[in-house]
Amino acid sequence: MARSVYLTGLEPGGGKSAVALGVAELLSRRVERIGAFRPLARLTPDPIMELLHRRYGMTLPLPELTGSDYATAQQLIGDGRTDELVSRIVDRFRQVERECDVVVVVGTDYGRDTGDPQQERGVPGEFALNLRLAAEFGAVTLPVVDGHERGGEEIAAAMRSAYRALADRGAVLVGVLANRADPAVRERALAAAESLPVPAYVVPEEPAVAAPTVGEVMAVLDAEPVLGVDQVARTRDVLNVVVGGATLPTFLDYITDGSLVVTPGDRSDLVVASFAAHAAGHVSLAGLVLTLGLPLDPRVERLVTASEPVLPVLSVARESYDTVTALAGLTGRISPDNPRKVDAALGVFEAAVDTAQLAEQLDVARSHRVTPMMFEYTLVERARAHRRRVVLPEGTEERILRAAEILQRRGICELTLLGPGDEIARRGRELGLDLADVEVADPADSPWRDEFAAEYGKLRADRGVTEEAAYDRMGDVNYFGTMMVHTGRADAMVSGCVHPTADTIRPAFEIIRTKPWVSVASSVFFMCLADQVLVYGDCAVVQDPDPEQLADIALSSAQTAEQFGVTPRVAMLSYSTGGSGSGADVDKVAEATALVRRRRPELPVEGPIQYDAAVDPAVAATKLPQSEVAGNATVLIFPDLNTGNNTYKAVQRSAGAVAVGPVLQGLRRPVNDLSRGATVADIVSTVAITAIQAAAQE
C-alpha cells in the first residue's frame, strides 16, 4: 500500500497545486488522516500547503509541512552538503508521515518568475533531488507535464519523455499527467500517449482556475478601491484585459465575459458604456481599472453607482501601458480564501481523471470507519457517478446561485433553477458567477403550467380543487418544482432556503406521496461528529409516532444509512434501557423494536435503550453487555419529535457537529428541505444527497 505519492514536474509550471488538490481530494475519500508535504518552499506560508492544511483538517502546524526553504537548500548544495539537506528534509517528512495514513508530496518548482531575482533561481540538480527524495520517502511518483500552448503530439511526447526519465532511474510511477492542455487537443494527446505502460491523464486548461481575481489584481497594482469592491467582488475572475483607448463602438466589440477594462479615469464614455453593457447582460465584466490617478466625474459616479449590478472599480496612479504590463503573465492562486477557484480546479480534475483507476494505482486501503470528511467527499463522488436532475425552486436566492455554480463545476448533478430568467441572470452577473449550463424555468410563464395544473387538479379532485385554483397553485415555485419531479422533468427537488419546512414538504405529501409499504414519511439528520457519522431520526417531521410509525422510521432510517455508507446498528431510544423502567412511552418503544425485528430479522437493533448506553462502550458494558448494538449504535431513533429535535440541536451546538439534513425518507421520489440558515456548503451537500437518493430509487 502506498503511504505517500510524490507529484513532480520536469520543468517550471504545469500547475502542480491544482493536481495536488485533486489527488488529495481523491485520497480524502479513502483515509481518515491525510497529510501534505513540500520538500522546498519559496513562500511562507506556502499557498498550496496552506490550502491543503486547512481544507483537510491537518493537525500538524503548517510550518512543519515543509522540509526547507530555497535559500537554505542553495547554501547547503553550494557547500557540497547535499546529503545533509536530504537528511533534514527526510526527517521532517517522517514526522508528517507518522501522523498520517497517506501523504501528498508536492515537488520542487524548478525556479519560477516571482519578480524577485533571488527567489527565481532553483537549486542545482532539482530533477535528481526530486527523484532521490521520492525514493527516500518510499513514495510512488506521479509526474506532471505542462500542456500549456502545446499540441496533442507534443504533449504526448512530453509525457513519454517524463515517463522514461523517471522509470529509467528507478522511480515507481502510478501514471503520467499533463495539465493545462488546450481542450481541443486533449483527445489527440490521449490517443498519442496510449503506448505508455502506465495510465495517462490529460487535464484541460480551465480559465477560471488560472485566471487572477480582482483581489489579486488589486494587490499587484497596489490599487485603491473606488466603487463596489467588497469581499465578493474581490473573488471575480479576470479572464482577459481590455485597454480602453478606442472609440466607443470599437471598444464594445472587444469586451467579453470576464474582461477587466483598463482606461484613463477621464474616459467617461467608456466607463458608462462598461456599466451599461454589464447591466444589460451584453457581457459579464470583471471590473474596471482607472489609470493616471484621475477620479471619476461626480456626475458619472452618481450615474454608475445607481446601476445594477455595480461593477468593482479600482484606481491606480500609473498610466495604462504600465498597468497592462504589470498584469502581463499574472495567474491566479488556488487559495483557501477562494472556494470558487478550488471548486473549479476540482471540477476539471475530476472530469478529466479516472479517479477510480488512479485510486487503484495508488492502492490506498480504504478505512473501515466513515469520518465526516470522508462522508462529505463520498457524497460528491457518488452523485457524479449517477448524475440526476435536481430542481431548486429558490432560484433567485444568492446562496442557491452560489451553490448552483459549485454543483455545476463539480459535475454533481444537472440543475434547474426556478424564477424569472432575467432576474436570475442579473443576480448571476452581479455575483460574478458562471451559470451557463444551468437550466432556468419560470412558473409564471412556463409552457408546462397548464399541464401541471390539470394533473394537480386530478390528484386533488377529492379535495375539491378547481381548475382555476390548480392553475394558481402552479404559480408557487415549490408546487411547480414538485410537479416537475412528479412528471419526470426532474429527478428530485431541494427547497427551504427561504421557505418554511411546511412550504417544502406539503406539496410533496399532496403530489408525490409516500411509498405504498411505508405508513409515514419521516426524516433523518446525518450528524457529522469529530470522528464518525451518526444518523438521527426523526427530528423534523413526525411529532408523536405510534409503534408502527416508529418502526417505519427505524427501518427507513436504516435503509438511508445503508445508502450513504453508514453500517446500520439501530438504537431505539428511551429513558429506559432494557427492563430498567416502565410506562407507556417505554412500552411504545419496546413494541416498535419488536416490529422492526419481525420485519428485518437480520438488522441489528436494540431497544428500549438510553442514549449513553447506545453510544458509549463503557456504559454499554455495564447495562447491556451482550448487545451487538449497545455502545456501537450508528442509527439512533428518537421516540418523538420533541426529543429528537432538541437532541440534534444540543449535539450540533455543544459538540460542534455538522448536521446535514433533514433528509426526507419514505416518499416515492426524493424531496428535501433546507434550513433557512443553510450555508452554501449545506446546500451543496443536501443536493448531492438528494441526487444519490434519486439514483438509488431508480
Side-chain angles (χ1 to χ4, degrees):
M1 181 183 83
R3 288 294 308 280
S4 58
V5 54
Y6 199 112
L7 308 178
T8 182
L10 284 79
E11 58 190 333
K16 289 193 300 296
S17 295
V19 178
L21 176 64
V23 172
E25 190 84 357
L26 165 64
L27 294 173
S28 71
R29 302 167 190 162
R30 307 181 69 83
V31 300
E32 294 178 43
R33 300 172 303 163
I34 185 170
F37 188 75
R38 189 83 145 130
L40 299 179
R42 297 182 182 279
L43 303 174
T44 303
D46 185 271
I48 184 59
M49 289 297 105
E50 186 178 25
L51 170 61
L52 298 179
H53 183 269
R54 195 187 304 182
R55 183 173 179 84
Y56 301 107
M58 298 175 191
T59 54
L60 285 171
L62 186 57
E64 294 184 19
L65 304 183
T66 300
S68 173
D69 60 81
Y70 267 81
T72 301
Q74 289 163 356
Q75 182 68 45
L76 289 172
I77 292 174
D79 291 344
R81 298 157 63 192
T82 301
D83 287 348
E84 182 180 336
L85 172 65
V86 171
S87 178
R88 287 187 188 184
I89 294 173
V90 171
D91 284 346
R92 298 293 294 270
F93 170 77
R94 295 298 178 207
Q95 294 174 25
V96 176
E97 186 184 42
R98 281 193 292 270
E99 299 294 325
C100 304
D101 298 314
V102 67
V103 182
V104 177
V105 184
V106 186
T108 66
D109 288 333
Y110 291 90
R112 59 189 297 182
D113 183 8
T114 62
D116 182 347
Q118 286 297 110
Q119 292 293 319
E120 287 175 21
R121 295 195 300 269
V123 299
E126 255 180 277
F127 174 67
L129 178 63
N130 280 300
L131 275 173
R132 181 175 175 183
L133 290 173
E136 295 286 358
F137 295 170
V140 296
T141 306
L142 179 64
V144 180
V145 171
D146 190 2
H148 185 59
E149 295 184 347
R150 283 175 162 165
E153 292 290 346
E154 192 179 358
I155 291 172
M159 295 172 77
R160 289 192 295 269
S161 176
Y163 171 81
R164 185 52 53 201
L166 273 72
D168 286 351
R169 290 165 176 80
V172 179
L173 280 75
V174 293
V176 181
L177 187 146
N179 195 27
R180 302 175 61 216
D182 183 340
V185 306
R186 178 175 179 268
E187 294 302 324
R188 195 155 61 249
L190 284 171
E194 277 185 340
S195 60
L196 280 169
V198 294
Y201 308 106
V202 178
V203 179
E205 183 153 38
E206 169 55 58
V209 175
T213 63
V214 169
E216 289 168 331
V217 167
M218 282 184 69
V220 167
L221 298 179
D222 193 22
E224 293 294 326
V226 177
L227 287 175
V229 188
D230 57 15
Q231 197 56 43
V232 172
R234 292 170 190 261
T235 66
R236 295 175 77 94
D237 294 323
V238 177
L239 302 181
N240 60 78
V241 176
V242 175
V243 181
T247 61
L248 180 55
T250 303
F251 168 76
L252 292 174
D253 286 338
Y254 278 87
I255 54 175
T256 57
D257 288 345
S259 291
L260 179 72
V261 175
V262 176
T263 183
D266 60 357
R267 286 296 305 267
S268 299
D269 57 335
L270 301 187
V271 173
V272 172
S274 297
F275 270 84
H278 185 76
H282 176 62
V283 291
S284 180
L285 297 176
L288 288 87
V289 177
L290 306 181
T291 61
L292 301 175
L294 298 173
L296 281 175
D297 184 292
R299 293 164 294 184
V300 173
E301 184 171 351
R302 285 195 298 271
L303 177 64
V304 298
T305 301
S307 173
E308 288 190 1
V310 174
L311 276 170
V313 180
L314 311 174
S315 176
V316 296
R318 65 183 87 192
E319 63 183 33
S320 296
Y321 176 81
D322 290 339
T323 300
V324 174
T325 301
L327 295 176
L330 178 63
T331 58
R333 281 206 175 110
I334 303 173
S335 79
D337 298 319
N338 192 341
R340 292 183 62 235
K341 199 171 287 292
V342 170
D343 287 313
L346 288 174
V348 70
F349 180 89
E350 291 166 343
V353 174
D354 185 337
T355 53
Q357 180 191 53
L358 181 56
E360 186 177 338
Q361 290 289 110
L362 293 171
D363 190 29
V364 176
R366 188 181 291 273
S367 170
H368 294 296
R369 289 201 311 157
V370 179
T371 68
M373 185 178 294
M374 293 165 66
F375 175 75
E376 179 184 347
Y377 299 141
T378 299
L379 291 180
V380 174
E381 188 176 48
R382 291 184 58 191
R384 288 182 67 247
H386 305 282
R387 292 185 62 164
R388 293 295 184 268
R389 179 167 294 279
V390 179
V391 56
L392 305 178
E394 298 153 324
T396 59
E397 162 64 27
E398 177 178 337
R399 288 168 293 165
I400 293 293
L401 292 170
R402 292 191 179 282
E405 183 187 52
I406 294 171
L407 292 161
Q408 174 187 272
R409 283 183 166 175
R410 298 293 301 275
I412 293 173
C413 62
E414 305 292 342
L415 284 175
T416 300
L417 299 178
L418 298 188
D422 55 350
E423 185 178 351
I424 290 173
R426 180 186 64 79
R427 288 290 286 148
R429 292 197 306 276
E430 182 177 289
L431 298 169
L433 303 178
D434 177 10
L435 301 172
D437 296 328
V438 176
E439 180 183 77
V440 175
D442 185 359
D445 58 13
S446 171
W448 301 334
R449 187 169 177 178
D450 288 334
E451 176 194 338
F452 288 179
E455 176 65 14
Y456 180 73
K458 291 178 185 176
L459 292 172
R460 305 294 289 174
D462 60 335
R463 298 302 178 97
V465 174
T466 65
E467 185 178 331
E468 292 78 9
Y471 185 83
D472 288 344
R473 188 62 53 83
M474 288 305 109
D476 180 288
V477 289
N478 285 312
Y479 274 92
F480 189 92
T482 305
M483 192 59 73
M484 283 184 65
V485 176
H486 176 70
T487 60
R489 290 179 171 87
D491 300 299
M493 184 181 93
V494 174
S495 188
C497 196
V498 294
H499 289 92
T501 295
D503 288 357
T504 299
I505 64 176
R506 186 185 299 112
F509 290 162
E510 291 180 5
I511 298 170
I512 294 174
R513 302 175 181 173
T514 59
K515 297 172 182 176
W517 57 89
V518 175
S519 64
V520 64
S522 59
S523 73
V524 295
F525 279 91
F526 289 100
M527 301 299 295
C528 300
L529 302 170
D531 60 352
Q532 63 179 325
V533 176
L534 300 178
V535 178
Y536 283 12
D538 175 7
C539 306
V541 178
V542 186
Q543 289 191 18
D544 187 16
D546 60 30
E548 183 177 349
Q549 291 174 328
L550 194 58
D552 268 351
I553 292 169
L555 292 167
S556 294
S557 300
Q559 185 178 36
T560 300
E562 287 174 315
Q563 285 180 351
F564 293 96
V566 177
T567 302
R569 293 184 292 273
V570 181
M572 307 293 287
L573 298 176
S574 172
Y575 59 79
S576 168
T577 294
S580 66
S582 61
D585 291 338
V586 176
D587 293 342
K588 178 178 82 168
V589 174
E591 185 179 344
T593 303
L595 287 170
V596 171
R597 286 178 173 147
R598 283 203 298 270
R599 291 169 63 180
R600 277 196 66 178
E602 82 289 354
L603 180 67
V605 59
E606 188 67 65
I609 186 172
Q610 292 162 293
Y611 190 99
D612 58 350
V615 300
D616 188 327
V619 176
T622 301
K623 294 189 174 183
L624 284 174
Q626 306 303 316
S627 172
E628 64 175 315
V629 173
N632 296 293
T634 57
V635 179
L636 296 110
I637 305 302
F638 296 93
D640 53 59
L641 184 61
N642 182 56
T643 308
N645 191 270
N646 278 297
T647 302
Y648 107 77
K649 288 181 177 176
V651 172
Q652 180 186 34
R653 300 301 176 189
S654 60
V658 176
V660 180
V663 177
L664 298 183
Q665 52 192 15
L667 294 170
R668 295 172 187 261
R669 305 290 292 274
V671 172
N672 278 317
D673 178 46
L674 295 164
S675 162
R676 276 172 282 177
T679 65
V680 173
D682 293 336
I683 296 167
V684 171
S685 295
T686 302
V687 171
I689 284 174
T690 309
I692 294 168
Q693 284 182 303
Q697 288 195 5
E698 291 179 14

